[in-house]
Amino acid sequence: MAETYFRQKLGTLLKDADITIDGPHPWDIRVLDDRFYKRVLTEAHLGIGEAYMDGWWECDALDEFFYRILRKGLDKKVSAMPRFLSSLAGKILNLQNPARAFVVGETHYNIGNDLYRAMLDKRMIYSCGYWKEGNSLDEAQEQKLRLVFDKLMLKPGMHLLDIGCGWGGAAKFAAEHYGVRVTGITISSEQEKLAREYCSGLPVDIRLVDYRSQKGTYDRIYSIGMFEHVGHKNYRAYFQTVRNALAPDGLFLLHTIGSNRTGTNTDKWTSRYIFPNSMLPSANHIARASEGLLVMEDWHSFGHDYSLTLKAWNDNIERHLPTLARSYDERFFRMWRYYLLSAAGSFRARNVQLWQIVYSQNGIEGPFDVPRQSRIFA
């Protein structure tokens, strides 16, 4: 009786997004366990994500399914309790304090370099590509790097700080193509090890350190895909750290995923299985935290490009499944596929955003012709 009620209620909700249970379209879902219906309606995204990992339902086009769900706002029509509890924890606790700083490095970025080599582009850039001029993942990531460094107006001999340097792809590109010196910091020991090897022979120094412990002064600072781990209780301290490290005539570029809503929580499924202690900043968070410390010079939004990037990453994983299956089990692959494609649908629905924001220390004198199209090297 209860199963029938939950099935009917969920079916009615899904109809608003043109999704049918056991329907003919690739975005329709096939339910393989009747416990699915109650779990989704009472546990929201945590429930639907765990149910997918457990094999309780299937969908041939997960990204399209989530695009339709989020575009219609159906996520707001199921239980709000998981979101409330996560928000409450975020208000009370500093989930990103220095003692917790290395948790996400150990549990996500240290999963295995073999996985990331298979998934990412040739430079292993784990952030949104810029597809305006890119026809492949490699091209989109190169265009993104050029866009970042052109916005920063790099000149040979400058010293850069890369906050959250990943596997060193951006630092190496800057050193090779712009003639600069780079200090890169990460909280992942696996990233540090590979980045050191990758940047060997170049003026690139890779350090395993939390951003709050970084010392020195830099001509330019950039942070690509790291701010999502800072947390709202630390945003002001983050921008203070950047200001202290930035030369008087310096520039800072922040590349981050952003939320349309100002809150204190992250998605519960994402925090449990993908990025522990993470949260997405809102425009309000960023503006308030940086106000009085740095001068905002430009704000560029291109969230749709992340949906393309995530789908390209998923395609790469699917292509390398036979090799990766030696190290990862089926439940892991279901979790990873769900992570990539649900996020792709979310960006396409503009439920979340991708921002690049340029700051100066004291305001740029004269005109600032902000690039939207990257410079092509000969």
Side-chain angles (χ1 to χ4, degrees):
M1 191 72 167
E3 291 173 356
T4 301
Y5 166 77
F6 286 118
R7 178 187 173 107
Q8 289 176 345
K9 185 172 182 179
L10 184 60
T12 301
L13 279 175
L14 293 177
K15 190 178 295 184
D16 287 344
D18 192 28
I19 297 170
T20 305
I21 298 171
D22 298 327
H25 302 110
W27 59 81
D28 290 329
I29 62 172
R30 299 184 298 279
V31 177
L32 307 177
D33 191 309
D34 286 340
R35 292 174 293 175
F36 167 80
Y37 306 108
K38 180 180 179 181
R39 193 172 187 180
V40 172
L41 291 170
T42 57
E43 299 179 30
H45 190 220
L46 177 64
I48 195 172
E50 289 184 335
Y52 185 82
M53 292 166 61
D54 292 339
W56 289 13
W57 65 285
E58 295 285 357
C59 178
D60 294 331
L62 277 173
D63 57 312
E64 181 72 19
F65 168 78
F66 278 101
Y67 162 72
R68 289 168 176 269
I69 290 287
L70 295 169
R71 196 64 183 171
K72 288 292 185 179
L74 300 190
D75 57 313
K76 303 177 182 68
K77 297 181 180 181
V78 295
S79 175
M81 186 55 67
R83 191 182 303 114
F84 169 77
L85 294 175
S86 181
S87 179
L88 186 62
K91 287 180 180 178
I92 296 172
L93 305 172
N94 184 354
L95 299 175
Q96 301 83 13
N97 65 38
R100 297 171 180 261
F102 289 83
V103 172
V104 70
E106 295 164 359
T107 59
H108 183 81
Y109 297 106
N110 286 0
I111 287 175
N113 286 337
D114 58 338
L115 176 75
Y116 292 112
R117 278 197 184 96
M119 184 175 87
L120 303 176
D121 65 299
K122 63 182 180 182
R123 293 185 177 88
M124 293 182 70
I125 305 297
Y126 194 15
S127 58
C128 178
Y130 192 53
W131 294 81
K132 185 173 182 180
E133 299 170 300
N135 296 313
S136 68
L137 182 60
D138 283 345
E139 290 179 1
Q141 293 294 10
E142 180 168 333
Q143 296 304 322
K144 188 268 296 299
L145 294 179
R146 291 179 174 180
L147 185 71
V148 167
F149 297 134
D150 287 350
K151 286 180 178 180
L152 288 172
M153 297 189 288
L154 296 193
K155 295 177 183 178
M158 284 184 169
H159 190 186
L160 278 64
L161 174 62
D162 181 340
I163 302 177
C165 66
W167 292 273
K172 181 179 181 182
F173 190 86
E176 289 179 333
H177 292 283
Y178 290 84
V180 296
R181 186 162 53 103
V182 187
T183 296
I185 61 175
T186 176
I187 42 78
S188 163
S189 58
E190 288 298 313
Q191 287 185 337
E192 178 205 24
K193 179 182 177 182
L194 188 57
R196 285 179 181 271
E197 296 173 2
Y198 188 55
C199 297
S200 177
L202 292 168
V204 176
D205 178 22
I206 304 296
R207 302 173 184 174
L208 183 67
V209 63
D210 178 56
Y211 70 93
R212 285 161 286 210
S213 302
Q214 176 58 37
K215 307 296 182 183
T217 302
Y218 301 87
D219 301 298
R220 300 289 189 266
I221 301 175
Y222 63 93
S223 181
I224 303 175
M226 173 272 175
F227 196 66
E228 300 88 338
H229 304 305
V230 171
H232 73 104
K233 288 183 177 290
N234 307 298
Y235 289 153
R236 186 70 175 178
Y238 176 93
F239 279 102
Q240 185 67 63
T241 298
V242 169
R243 178 178 171 81
N244 292 343
L246 193 62
D249 60 348
L251 295 177
F252 166 55
L253 184 141
L254 178 66
H255 173 115
T256 182
I257 299 171
S259 172
N260 294 324
R261 297 169 295 277
T262 298
T264 59
N265 66 305
T266 190
D267 174 76
K268 200 167 182 64
W269 183 88
T270 303
S271 181
R272 178 174 294 184
Y273 292 102
I274 306 299
F275 296 114
N277 305 327
S278 62
M279 72 164 291
L280 299 185
S282 68
N284 183 46
H285 277 140
I286 293 171
R288 287 175 62 88
S290 61
E291 184 176 345
L293 296 176
L294 297 168
V295 178
M296 189 183 298
E297 302 284 358
D298 182 60
W299 193 304
H300 184 185
S301 178
F302 51 100
H304 182 75
D305 289 43
Y306 222 146
S307 68
L308 303 177
T309 304
L310 286 153
K311 289 189 70 174
W313 289 345
N314 186 70
D315 288 345
N316 284 345
I317 290 291
E318 297 293 342
R319 192 160 46 247
H320 288 91
L321 275 180
T323 303
L324 292 172
R326 301 168 190 165
S327 304
Y328 306 90
D329 62 21
E330 177 62 22
R331 194 168 193 267
F332 176 88
F333 286 126
R334 292 185 68 85
M335 176 189 77
W336 209 253
R337 183 184 304 121
Y338 184 89
Y339 150 52
L340 295 176
L341 293 182
S342 64
S346 186
F347 278 102
R348 185 180 161 207
R350 302 314 292 268
N351 184 60
V352 288
Q353 310 295 333
L354 189 285
W355 298 322
Q356 280 189 359
I357 310 166
V358 179
Y359 291 92
S360 66
Q361 181 79 286
N362 297 304
I364 297 173
E365 291 191 58
F368 180 32
D369 185 15
V370 187
R372 289 291 185 266
Q373 189 168 343
S374 57
R375 173 168 58 95
I376 303 299
F377 290 102

